[in-house]
């Protein structure tokens, strides 16, 4: 129990104390604790998830010892859920771990309300029929759901949530918000007060590039009837003008200005992504709207007024004297604060209008929303039944005919569904038992081709090699594949619970043959 | 029928398949050979290493060894699942090996609690496959040079199959990672694609001293400049909490002086120790990919990754396979640097040549030929034993073969940082074909 801060140091650097707090509050339900489920949960328990409930009705068999690290010889014949749960508890005593010895399929059939107590359900190794039923239950109850399956050298991970809105999407590369081509009055007057022709060479080489670019963009606009460089030649010319101002080769600030000159050419206003979000019908809020959409509605009013998103307020490091840099930082922060106050006022007004307490969204939350306004992300997932009954046909066809990369992966997608139909018809998976291989291959082929036909696709794109190997797998749950699938699933769970970073979209199909895995948006 | 522990793996190892590797021969013999003869070394027993040992132990391998010089720390426990709070301070390799053996019957794991450089080259040659779970470029580079050092080429410059030592390498940072397969002489080695790991950018000292702007600048000022000013002669130890606390409070003072926000103790540790964020899930993904490729290389039960997989889970989920091509002039995995010289050149003169050779610039070199130490810089006992060789002609020391491969280890300086490196040389003696013929004739 000692020093949780030190213990979690390496992950706190990724999702911070807020993310950690969200994990520690979450309660997770795992269905089936074979290697896929156990490994998924292991990664979450190590990170300090709040509580886990392991559900599995089976007993540990000899064969489980070969693919599941969380059972051992002493547990053969005993409840698998108990055994896995005990090992997981050993990993982290801060986690509340319990188990229920029951088959998930039975629980889905007989006790659907059981699932509503959890933050998120991880359903592993379920067949199609149970998945569809569970999906309906969880959507109804607004419980996050993620499916994971390992099958031979393939498998999949699929999130199923009505809507997941991310404020802190934390993208790796995102253009900073400097407003070089659209400076507000305070930034403009700060730049105006600085002389680029200052005689002192030390001052000259410590003028931050933000100032250089604001002034030079201004100068350009004056000489070009108010417009900024737009053609390739003009952009080149603009860069040359910057270069001409360099007095010595070691003036890093001017080099940075040339490299950053594209920020002057960047279009003003908001991205098409953000435009889509503020145009979303959910932004017409009422008393039932989520806090996120109330803030989007406020953002929409702000953008309609100013044409821009609220300023982020942070600036990247750049060559500069300390004094100019710190002053510049304060100018950006002040503008961000002012923008935030406007949005906050909009939020309070909207809350009033829809009949909610005007202070029910915290200042910290609104602030974070403003800081990340340009990076907001909405993820929506189709109900599983819709995808199974009517996959997006052109997408499916596109993947099927892409010989180069995704043909194996999409083949696996079809075959993963085909093996469940096979199991429903013949009470075992193709190749699960010795001796009926040839018959199983032809049966699986018939089912797979039929499945493709139902979706309006041509079955001939499915290769004999793939069908053969799918039968060879015989529903084996290989440890390395399960660990991979479990790793992916736990990663997505972390993103869903912390509400940070962007969860995957579509269905992830693992291709363990050559690792050309694929996300299918069907 | 009694169920086999190998129930799931048997499907892959005992049955014929279509999407398989060359020379795949399924059957119980394959499974047994994997158990008995395949020997895998896991380099590193950290976040990746713990996962790798588990994954390999449950993938049909029974002869595993693991090497790691580190001891367990509290901050490892969020991902290195083989360690418990009570293990803090113990060697990682030993605890990891013990825990996996406790749970997976039949597996034997030999731990090595030492530096990778401490092992003889022969140690590495003993393994069928080397799997790397490291977080340092230097360590990867070293193991790569060792494994590529075993590679021999035939007279047509084609790699000799039996000398190929495959490597599987994984790496992670936060939500990102890579897994790759290196078959020396066939696919690019670590050095062929070294540009994938750009060197870390350091702050210019004048920024730290004169125009600090960020919290990190203030921290590095305290760490790199102020420390030496105040503690003359005493080296800074990043693992000493008092030292870290001192740097932190100095950084706070400097930040206050310049009006710079954001210095925290956590950031101070991060900047000074160059801490890479790490989580269990990414390590699990990358290790699993590495273990799966190791199984495929050893058994040919499936086609393999060719040859570089990247994973990025920051924005959605992106995996990508890239087929990099090898650099045929690579100093490490290529046929070797050609050195032509007269048969009269002594070993001492040869070592001097290495310092000046533009492709090598190797100082303090130790020289081995076919596993025999010709000259060793260290340890002192070996140095003394081999010192007398320095005055002998290299040609004589190499048993008068007209051309052969020689391995040299020494230090190279790259941008004022010294690194130990191993190089392969193809030594050809000028005009000795005739000489040796005459010798033979004369002796007859
Ligand atoms: Zn190479």
């Amino acid at each position: 129990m000692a020093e949780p801060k030190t213990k979690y140091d390496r992950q706190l650097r990724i999702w911070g104390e807020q993310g950690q707090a969200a994990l520690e509050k979450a309660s997770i339900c795992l269905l089936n604790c074979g290697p896929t489920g156990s490994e998924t949960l292991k990664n979450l328990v190590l990170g300090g998830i709040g509580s886990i409930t392991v559900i599995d009705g089976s007993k540990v068999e000899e064969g489980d010892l070969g693919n599941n690290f969380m059972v051992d010889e002493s547990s053969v014949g005993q409840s698998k859920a108990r055994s896995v749960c005990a090992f997981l508890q050993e990993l982290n005593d801060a986690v509340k771990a319990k188990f229920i010895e029951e088959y998930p399929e039975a629980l889905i059939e007989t006790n659907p309300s059981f699932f509503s107590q959890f933050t998120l359900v991880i359903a592993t190794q379920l067949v199609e029929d149970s998945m569809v039923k569970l999906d309906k239950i969880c959507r109804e109850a607004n419980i996050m759901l993620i499916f994971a399956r390992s099958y031979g050298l393939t498998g999949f991970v699929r999130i199923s949530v009505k809507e997941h809105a991310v404020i802190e999407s934390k993208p790796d590369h995102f253009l900073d918000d400097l407003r070089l081509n659209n400076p507000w009055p305070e930034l403009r007057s700060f730049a105006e007060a600085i002389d680029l022709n200052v005689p002192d060479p030390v001052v000259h080489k410590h003028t931050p590039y933000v100032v250089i670019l604001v002034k030079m963009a201004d100068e350009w606009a004056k000489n070009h009837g108010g417009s900024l460089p737009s053609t390739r030649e003009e952009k080149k010319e603009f860069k040359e003008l910057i270069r001409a101002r360099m007095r010595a080769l070691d003036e890093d600030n001017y080099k940075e200005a040339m490299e950053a000159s594209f920020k002057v050419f960047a279009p003003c206003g908001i991205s098409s992504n953000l435009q889509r979000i503020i145009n979303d019908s959910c932004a017409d809020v009422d008393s039932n709207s989520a806090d996120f959409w109330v803030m989007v509605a406020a953002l929409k009013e702000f953008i309609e007024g100013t044409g821009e998103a609220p300023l982020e307020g942070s600036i990247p490091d750049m060559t500069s004297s300390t004094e100019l840099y710190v002053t510049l930082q304060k100018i950006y922060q002040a503008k961000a604060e002012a923008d935030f106050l406007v949005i906050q006022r909009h939020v309070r007004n909207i809350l009033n209008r829809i009949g909610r307490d005007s202070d029910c969204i915290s200042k910290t939350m609104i602030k974070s929303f403003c800081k990340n306004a340009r990076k907001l992300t909405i993820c929506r997932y189709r109900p599983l039944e819709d995808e199974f009954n009517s996959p997006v046909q052109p997408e499916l066809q596109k993947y099927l005919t892409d010989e180069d990369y995704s043909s194996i992966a999409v083949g696996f997608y079809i075959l993963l569904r085909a093996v469940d139909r096979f199991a429903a018809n013949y009470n075992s998976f193709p190749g699960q038992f010795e001796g009926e291989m040839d018959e199983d291959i032809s049966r699986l082929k018939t089912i797979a081709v039929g499945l493709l036909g139902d979706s309006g696709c041509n079955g001939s794109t499915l290769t004999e090699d793939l069908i053969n190997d799918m039968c060879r797998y015989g529903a084996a749950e290989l440890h390395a594949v399960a660990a991979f699938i479990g790793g992916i699933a736990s990663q997505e769970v972390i993103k869903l619970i912390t509400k940070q970073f962007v969860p995957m979209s579509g269905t992830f199909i693992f291709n363990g043959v050559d690792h050309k895995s694929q996300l299918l948006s069907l | 029928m009694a169920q086999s522990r190998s129930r799931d793996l048997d499907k892959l190892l005992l049955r014929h398949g279509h999407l398989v590797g060359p020379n795949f021969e399924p059957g119980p013999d394959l499974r047994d050979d994997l158990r008995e003869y395949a020997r895998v070394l896991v380099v590193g027993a950290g976040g990746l290493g713990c996962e790798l040992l588990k994954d390999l132990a449950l993938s049909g391998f029974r002869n595993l060894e693991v090497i790691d010089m580190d001891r367990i720390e509290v901050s490892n426990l969020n991902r290195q699942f083989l360690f418990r709070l009570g293990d803090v301070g113990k060697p990682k390799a030993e605890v990891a090996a013990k825990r996996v053996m406790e749970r997976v019957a039949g597996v034997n794991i030999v731990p090595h609690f030492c530096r990778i450089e401490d092992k003889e080259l022969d140690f590495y040659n003993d393994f069928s496959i080397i799997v790397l779970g490291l977080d340092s470029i230097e360590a990867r580079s070293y193991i790569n040079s060792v494994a590529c050092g075993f590679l021999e080429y035939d007279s047509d410059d084609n790699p000799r199959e039996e000398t190929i030592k495959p490597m599987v390498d994984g790496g992670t940072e936060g939500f990102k990672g890579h897994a790759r397969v290196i078959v020396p002489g066939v696919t690019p080695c670590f050095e062929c694609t070294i540009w994938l790991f750009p060197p870390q950018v350091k702050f210019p000292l004048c920024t730290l001293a004169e125009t600090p702007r960020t919290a990190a600048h203030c921290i590095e000022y305290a760490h790199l400049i102020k420390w030496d000013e105040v503690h003359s002669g005493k080296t800074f130890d990043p693992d000493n909490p008092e030292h870290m606390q001192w740097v932190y409070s100095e950084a706070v003072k400097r930040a206050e002086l310049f009006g710079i926000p954001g210095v925290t103790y956590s950031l101070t540790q991060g900047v000074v120790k160059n801490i890479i964020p790490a989580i269990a899930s990414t390590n699990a993904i990358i290790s699993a990919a590495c273990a799966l490729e190791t199984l495929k290389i050893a058994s040919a039960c499936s086609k393999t990754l060719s040859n570089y997989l990247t994973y990025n889970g920051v924005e959605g989920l992106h995996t990508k396979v890239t087929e990099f091509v090898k650099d045929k002039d690579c100093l490490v995995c290529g046929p070797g640097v050609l050195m032509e010289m007269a048969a009269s050149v002594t070993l001492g003169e040869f070592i001097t040549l290495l310092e000046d050779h533009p492709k090598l610039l190797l100082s303090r070199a130790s020289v081995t030929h076919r596993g025999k130490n010709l000259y060793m810089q260290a340890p002192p006992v070996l140095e003394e034993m081999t010192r007398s060789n320095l005055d002998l002609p290299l040609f004589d020391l190499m048993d008068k073969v007209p051309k052969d491969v020689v391995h040299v280890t020494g230090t190279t300086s790259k941008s004022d940082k010294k690194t130990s490196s191993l190089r392969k040389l193809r030594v050809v003696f000028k005009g000795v074909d005739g000489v040796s013929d005459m010798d033979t004739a004369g002796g007859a």
Side-chain angles (χ1 to χ4, degrees), chain A residues 194-230:
Chain A
I194 291 168
D195 181 9
L196 290 186
N197 297 316
V198 58
D200 184 340
V202 177
V203 177
H204 191 265
K205 70 184 282 193
H206 286 99
T207 307
Y209 82 73
V210 164
V211 172
I212 297 172
L213 289 176
V214 167
K215 287 184 81 85
M216 294 199 60
D218 206 37
E219 202 177 300
W220 177 281
K222 273 190 191 121
N223 296 329
H224 293 81
S227 54
L228 286 169
S230 60

Side-chain angles (χ1 to χ4, degrees), chain A residues 400-411:
Chain A
L400 278 167
T401 44
D402 174 14
E403 280 174 35
D404 190 43
Y405 204 92
S406 56
S407 65
I408 293 188
V410 72

Side-chain angles (χ1 to χ4, degrees), chain A residues 316-327:
Chain A
D317 186 28
M318 61 192 81
T319 302
S320 166
S321 67
T322 303
E323 195 199 338
L324 285 181
Y325 184 79
V326 171
T327 314

Side-chain angles (χ1 to χ4, degrees), chain A residues 1-3 6-11 13-15 39 42-44 46-47 61-73 83 87 90-91 152-153 169-173 206 252 317-322 325-326 329-330 333 405 408 412 430-434 437 464-466 468-469 471-481 483-484 486-488 490-492 494-495 500-505 508 510 512-519, chain B residues 3-13 15-20 24 51 54-59 73-85 99-100 102-105 173-176 203-204 207 210-214 217 258-261 265-267 269-271 273 275-282 284-286 288-293 295-296 300-306 309 311-321 323:
Chain A
M1 284 296 277
E3 307 177 73
T6 315
K7 179 161 125 184
Y8 297 136
D9 178 82
R10 297 303 185 267
Q11 65 196 49
R13 289 172 193 277
I14 300 179
W15 50 68
E39 292 293 321
K42 178 203 77 193
N43 302 328
L44 297 171
L46 286 166
E61 296 174 12
E62 190 77 14
D64 298 328
L65 304 181
N67 71 358
N68 193 340
F69 195 75
M70 282 158 236
V71 297
D72 62 6
E73 251 147 315
S83 185
F87 182 85
E90 209 184 288
L91 293 181
L153 288 177
S169 62
K170 298 186 172 180
D172 265 339
H173 305 285
H206 286 99
D252 288 335
D317 186 28
M318 61 192 81
T319 302
S320 166
S321 67
T322 303
Y325 184 79
V326 171
Q329 250 181 344
K330 286 184 179 149
Q333 274 160 9
Y405 204 92
I408 293 188
F412 277 140
Q432 191 172 7
F433 303 106
E434 302 299 328
M437 203 57 128
E464 297 283 337
D465 286 348
L466 210 58
N468 180 89
D469 275 27
C471 286
R472 173 191 178 208
Y473 300 155
E477 201 174 348
L478 302 165
H479 181 79
V481 173
F484 190 99
I488 298 275
S490 53
Q491 193 87 293
E492 299 305 318
I494 288 168
K495 291 191 268 182
Q500 294 179 27
F501 304 95
V502 182
M504 59 181 244
S505 56
F508 173 75
F510 176 61
V513 176
D514 56 14
H515 284 281
K516 291 179 179 174
S517 302
Q518 184 79 39
L519 264 179
Chain B
Q3 207 179 53
S4 158
R5 184 167 300 202
S6 186
R7 174 189 68 195
D8 294 67
L9 206 52
D10 279 356
K11 304 272 195 318
L12 225 58
L13 297 178
R15 293 174 169 186
H16 287 279
H18 287 208
L19 304 166
V20 296
F24 174 52
E51 286 284 329
K54 162 188 67 93
D55 293 347
L56 292 168
L58 292 174
S59 295
E73 294 176 26
V74 174
S75 64
N76 301 147
L77 301 178
N78 80 321
R79 61 197 185 283
Q80 299 176 16
F81 76 101
L82 296 172
F83 310 142
R84 310 282 174 266
L85 196 57
R99 287 277 144 75
V100 175
E102 277 166 8
R103 294 200 72 87
V104 185
E173 178 175 352
F175 281 176
K176 288 177 274 189
F203 302 122
T207 297
E210 288 156 24
T211 57
R213 300 175 296 271
T214 66
H217 292 155
F258 284 93
I260 296 167
Y265 188 72
S266 168
L267 182 69
Q269 284 182 308
V271 169
K273 295 171 121 178
I275 292 176
I276 300 166
I279 49 174
S281 36
T282 315
I285 295 166
I286 295 302
C290 290
L292 188 58
E293 291 313 301
L295 171 63
K296 292 188 211 169
C301 70
S302 162
K303 288 181 180 172
T304 57
L305 163 69
S306 178
L309 169 72
Y311 160 81
N312 187 340
V314 176
E315 273 179 272
L317 167 56
H318 302 274
T319 63
K320 187 172 191 289
V321 173
E323 191 160 0

Side-chain angles (χ1 to χ4, degrees), chain B residues 159-317:
Chain B
R160 271 188 227 271
E161 186 92 36
E162 67 279 12
T163 64
I164 294 175
K165 182 81 59 200
M167 281 172 283
V168 182
D169 172 51
T172 69
E173 178 175 352
F175 281 176
K176 288 177 274 189
H178 78 263
R180 70 189 297 185
V181 172
I182 298 176
V183 184
V186 183
T187 66
C189 81
F190 183 70
E191 223 63 45
C192 288
T193 53
I194 191 75
W195 49 270
L196 286 164
F197 298 84
Q200 217 203 322
V201 194
K202 286 193 188 130
F203 302 122
L205 282 180
C206 61
T207 297
L208 303 185
E210 288 156 24
T211 57
R213 300 175 296 271
T214 66
H217 292 155
C218 299
I219 293 163
E220 283 296 60
Y221 171 81
H223 168 219
L224 299 171
I225 298 173
K226 190 78 188 223
W227 176 273
D228 286 339
E229 274 176 23
V230 176
H231 307 84
S232 61
K234 189 156 119 194
T235 44
F236 174 80
D237 175 8
D239 293 324
N240 183 328
E242 278 171 33
H243 290 193
M244 193 62 81
Q245 192 62 47
W246 187 89
V247 166
Y248 166 61
S249 57
E250 284 301 315
V252 168
K253 279 186 217 161
R254 189 162 177 82
E256 276 169 8
L257 182 67
F258 284 93
I260 296 167
V263 174
T264 62
Y265 188 72
S266 168
L267 182 69
T268 306
Q269 284 182 308
V271 169
V272 170
K273 295 171 121 178
N274 186 28
I275 292 176
I276 300 166
I279 49 174
S281 36
T282 315
N283 283 326
I285 295 166
I286 295 302
S287 303
C290 290
L292 188 58
E293 291 313 301
T294 308
L295 171 63
K296 292 188 211 169
I297 294 170
S299 69
C301 70
S302 162
K303 288 181 180 172
T304 57
L305 163 69
S306 178
N307 43 41
Y308 198 103
L309 169 72
T310 49
Y311 160 81
N312 187 340
V314 176
E315 273 179 272
L317 167 56

Side-chain angles (χ1 to χ4, degrees), chain A residues 54-313:
Chain A
V54 180
I55 295 167
D56 194 314
S58 65
K59 308 277 188 212
V60 177
E61 296 174 12
E62 190 77 14
D64 298 328
L65 304 181
N67 71 358
N68 193 340
F69 195 75
M70 282 158 236
V71 297
D72 62 6
E73 251 147 315
S74 67
S75 53
V76 172
Q78 293 180 19
S79 155
K80 198 188 283 176
R82 172 200 292 273
S83 185
V84 167
C85 190
F87 182 85
L88 289 169
Q89 183 69 80
E90 209 184 288
L91 293 181
N92 193 343
D93 55 13
V95 175
K96 287 190 220 58
K98 63 173 190 175
F99 70 93
I100 297 174
E101 193 180 352
E102 188 166 346
Y103 286 99
E105 292 81 358
L107 213 48
I108 292 168
E109 291 293 341
T110 60
N111 192 4
S113 63
F114 170 80
F115 298 99
S116 52
Q117 59 184 299
F118 301 105
T119 315
L120 185 146
V121 176
I122 303 167
T124 70
Q125 307 300 90
L126 288 187
V127 294
E128 190 165 314
D129 177 50
S130 301
M131 286 200 290
V132 168
K133 282 179 186 150
L134 181 65
D135 190 34
K136 282 183 188 161
I137 294 169
C138 289
R139 271 177 193 259
E140 189 98 335
N142 238 335
I143 305 299
M144 295 190 276
L145 174 61
I146 185 164
F147 296 103
R149 178 115 179 242
S150 309
Y151 195 105
L153 288 177
T154 184
F156 66 82
V157 178
R158 163 75 144 84
I159 294 172
S160 192
V161 175
K162 260 187 251 171
E163 179 181 288
H164 178 75
V166 191
I167 296 172
E168 295 178 77
S169 62
K170 298 186 172 180
D172 265 339
H173 305 285
F174 206 82
L175 188 58
D176 41 32
D177 190 12
L178 296 177
R179 307 282 164 89
L180 300 177
N181 50 10
N182 186 18
W184 63 97
E186 289 78 8
L187 177 59
R188 186 186 296 274
S189 60
F190 173 72
E192 272 166 7
I194 291 168
D195 181 9
L196 290 186
N197 297 316
V198 58
D200 184 340
V202 177
V203 177
H204 191 265
K205 70 184 282 193
H206 286 99
T207 307
Y209 82 73
V210 164
V211 172
I212 297 172
L213 289 176
V214 167
K215 287 184 81 85
M216 294 199 60
D218 206 37
E219 202 177 300
W220 177 281
K222 273 190 191 121
N223 296 329
H224 293 81
S227 54
L228 286 169
S230 60
T231 65
R232 233 173 118 171
E233 284 71 33
E234 285 177 337
K235 289 175 182 174
K236 219 174 129 191
E237 194 189 332
F238 184 75
K239 269 193 181 179
E240 287 310 314
L241 284 173
I242 304 171
R243 192 194 304 278
R245 299 234 174 199
M246 260 173 110
R247 290 195 194 147
L249 283 173
D250 69 341
E251 290 195 316
D252 288 335
N253 55 335
Y254 277 87
K255 283 185 218 162
E256 287 166 7
M258 280 192 282
E259 277 165 28
S261 61
F262 74 95
K263 295 177 188 172
V264 170
F265 318 141
C268 295
I270 62 167
S271 69
S272 55
N273 177 50
L274 188 52
Q275 187 70 53
R276 245 194 325 275
I277 292 174
I278 61 173
N279 287 347
D280 196 291
S281 60
C282 294
D284 300 328
V285 290
D286 58 35
S287 57
N288 295 320
S289 294
D291 291 357
F292 176 83
W293 287 108
V294 172
M295 291 189 283
V296 169
L299 175 66
K300 187 174 183 175
E301 287 181 15
F302 182 92
I303 292 170
E304 279 163 0
T306 62
E308 296 272 8
L311 189 78
E312 217 164 290

Side-chain angles (χ1 to χ4, degrees), chain B residues 144 148 185 187-193 326-327 329-334:
Chain B
N144 180 69
C148 292
T187 66
C189 81
F190 183 70
E191 223 63 45
C192 288
T193 53
K326 92 184 150 102
D327 173 4
D329 295 324
C330 177
L331 286 178
V332 180
C333 70

